[in-house]
Amino acid sequence: MQTDISLKRLTALCGADLLPLFGVPFDRLLRVETLEQPASARRLDNVLHVRSPDGQTYLHVVEWQGYPDLVVLWRLMGYLAWLGQKFPTLTVVGTVVYLSPACDRGATLSQVIDGQEVQRWSFSCVRLWEHEAAQALATGRVGLAVLSLLMRHATEATVEQAVDVVLRQTTPPHQNDLLSILATFAEPLMERQRLLHLIGKERLMESEIISSLVREMAAEEVKKRMAAERDKDQVKQQLEQVEQQMAAERARLEAMVQVNLREQQQTLEDALIARFPQAPITLLHSLRQVTHPAHIHQLVVALFKVADVVEFEHLLQQTIATGKN
């Protein structure tokens, strides 16, 4: 579920970055749209409105495929047929993007009768493992940098470079979402604790993707319980339990942030004592007023650059004042 949500969000945030991957003419991305299919009650999330180099506007459907599915090409054809009926004057194209060889169902629907092919439909197809991670990073495009973790020869170094691209080229709140997507793809490449340290737990907690997952999981749980229990009092009680679970999860995540903050503050205190063993106790107490991870990191670095404890104390007071403002 998280991979599916991540890819949809990546398309929404970085659709223009992904266009070179699909191998069709483009000049710029106009917008990314989610459309409802009334007959099937399905949402078509990745509909890209694209303008070609000669100024033609067309629709491009991207079908991300991260699990084995016999009907993936039929589903894509159904999307294209539905959009063709809805927008008969527009050109409609589609691309299936396979995340791994296990998901690959090819790019052709072939209909055979008595050993003779009588009908064939071909689709644009991208196999991410056939693309080089280094080349995707070299483009400087944020979307391709995130996808590079699913490409050939991706390593821990690829993760670090991709994180750097996202941090340099984006800002919150989209930055938090992109880092959350990146974390999902990076898990097979990097140990979890190192990955969390590299990205920052706070950013993941603030990601709309994580919030969306929590909401969807809660909504699914409520639907299941409401279907099983028709008594209104029981349904009300179940809804309250879901809310309590969500509150407990929020509290757990907040507690994790506080523990992480205390660890960083302790690192700063240890660094101060190591550099200036005779530092006054009041200075150590003042360190606790610094609560922003970036400020703590800056002070740790500054400790090894200042001439004396007086200069560091002056810098510390400036940092505290900045945090209050």
Side-chain angles (χ1 to χ4, degrees):
M1 180 188 292
Q2 184 169 348
T3 298
D4 186 44
I5 293 175
S6 296
L7 290 167
K8 292 174 183 177
R9 186 63 175 154
L10 180 64
T11 307
L13 293 176
C14 301
D17 292 346
L18 306 180
L19 289 175
L21 190 65
F22 305 141
V24 292
F26 72 91
D27 176 59
R28 59 174 166 162
L29 178 67
L30 302 179
R31 68 181 183 275
V32 180
E33 191 172 10
T34 294
L35 298 174
E36 296 285 348
Q37 293 182 275
S40 62
R42 288 180 61 92
R43 289 199 319 170
L44 187 50
D45 290 284
N46 305 317
V47 182
L48 281 61
H49 292 245
V50 187
R51 179 169 294 161
S52 74
D54 291 336
Q56 179 183 351
T57 299
Y58 64 92
L59 302 181
H60 192 151
V61 180
V62 181
E63 180 69 3
W64 300 97
Q65 194 59 35
Y67 60 92
D69 187 355
L70 290 173
V71 302
V72 57
L73 295 180
W74 285 109
R75 184 167 59 250
L76 178 56
M77 186 168 70
Y79 292 157
L80 299 180
W82 178 73
L83 285 171
Q85 294 174 68
K86 187 175 178 65
F87 305 104
T89 62
L90 287 178
T91 293
V92 182
V93 299
T95 298
V96 58
V97 184
Y98 294 116
L99 274 60
S100 69
C103 311
D104 192 349
R105 300 301 305 176
T108 303
L109 277 175
S110 177
Q111 302 302 291
V112 177
I113 299 176
D114 293 340
Q116 179 181 355
E117 185 178 71
V118 296
Q119 192 120 40
R120 169 186 287 259
W121 299 276
S122 297
F123 302 90
S124 171
C125 172
V126 174
R127 297 174 172 91
L128 288 180
W129 63 93
E130 294 180 349
H131 293 255
E132 286 290 341
Q135 293 179 4
L137 284 169
T139 66
R141 293 174 177 265
V142 174
L144 291 180
V146 174
L147 278 183
S148 69
L149 308 187
L150 301 176
M151 297 181 182
R152 184 164 53 195
H153 299 139
T155 64
E156 286 193 357
T158 309
V159 178
E160 294 172 352
Q161 294 174 55
V163 170
D164 182 64
V165 170
V166 173
L167 291 177
R168 283 190 292 104
Q169 299 192 32
T170 63
T171 57
H174 291 167
Q175 183 182 87
N176 299 331
D177 282 353
L178 289 167
L179 289 172
S180 177
I181 296 168
L182 191 151
T184 300
F185 298 158
E187 284 193 2
L189 303 174
M190 182 176 286
E191 192 270 333
R192 180 182 293 268
Q193 286 303 116
R194 184 182 175 194
L195 181 61
L196 289 176
H197 179 73
L198 181 65
I199 293 177
K201 295 178 183 177
E202 297 84 356
R203 293 191 180 99
L204 293 182
M205 286 180 59
E206 294 171 1
S207 164
E208 175 59 27
I209 293 176
I210 300 299
S211 300
S212 176
L213 277 171
V214 171
R215 288 195 299 268
E216 288 199 12
M217 291 172 64
E220 286 298 320
E221 186 66 20
V222 170
K223 287 180 182 178
K224 291 178 182 179
R225 295 186 179 187
M226 289 181 67
E229 301 290 345
R230 296 184 179 181
D231 185 88
K232 292 183 178 180
D233 292 335
Q234 289 182 340
V235 171
K236 181 179 179 181
Q237 181 180 6
Q238 290 164 359
L239 288 171
E240 291 174 349
Q241 290 175 352
V242 171
E243 292 174 354
Q244 291 171 2
Q245 291 172 358
M246 293 178 67
E249 182 63 14
R250 285 194 297 270
R252 186 182 71 82
L253 292 173
E254 290 170 359
M256 288 174 59
V257 170
Q258 289 303 315
V259 169
N260 186 57
L261 172 62
R262 183 66 195 105
E263 289 175 351
Q264 293 184 58
Q265 289 175 330
Q266 186 62 53
T267 299
L268 178 57
E269 291 177 15
D270 293 343
L272 174 61
I273 294 172
R275 178 71 198 281
F276 302 115
Q278 304 303 321
I281 296 298
T282 54
L283 185 57
L284 289 171
H285 291 164
S286 296
L287 295 180
R288 298 296 177 88
Q289 298 181 48
V290 183
T291 58
H292 196 289
H295 291 167
I296 295 174
H297 176 72
Q298 291 168 3
L299 288 172
V300 171
V301 174
L303 264 173
F304 298 95
K305 296 181 179 181
V306 297
D308 52 38
V309 72
V310 174
E311 183 181 350
F312 177 76
E313 185 171 9
H314 177 69
L315 179 61
L316 173 61
Q317 294 305 322
Q318 285 183 330
T319 303
I320 293 173
T322 300
K324 291 180 178 178
N325 292 332

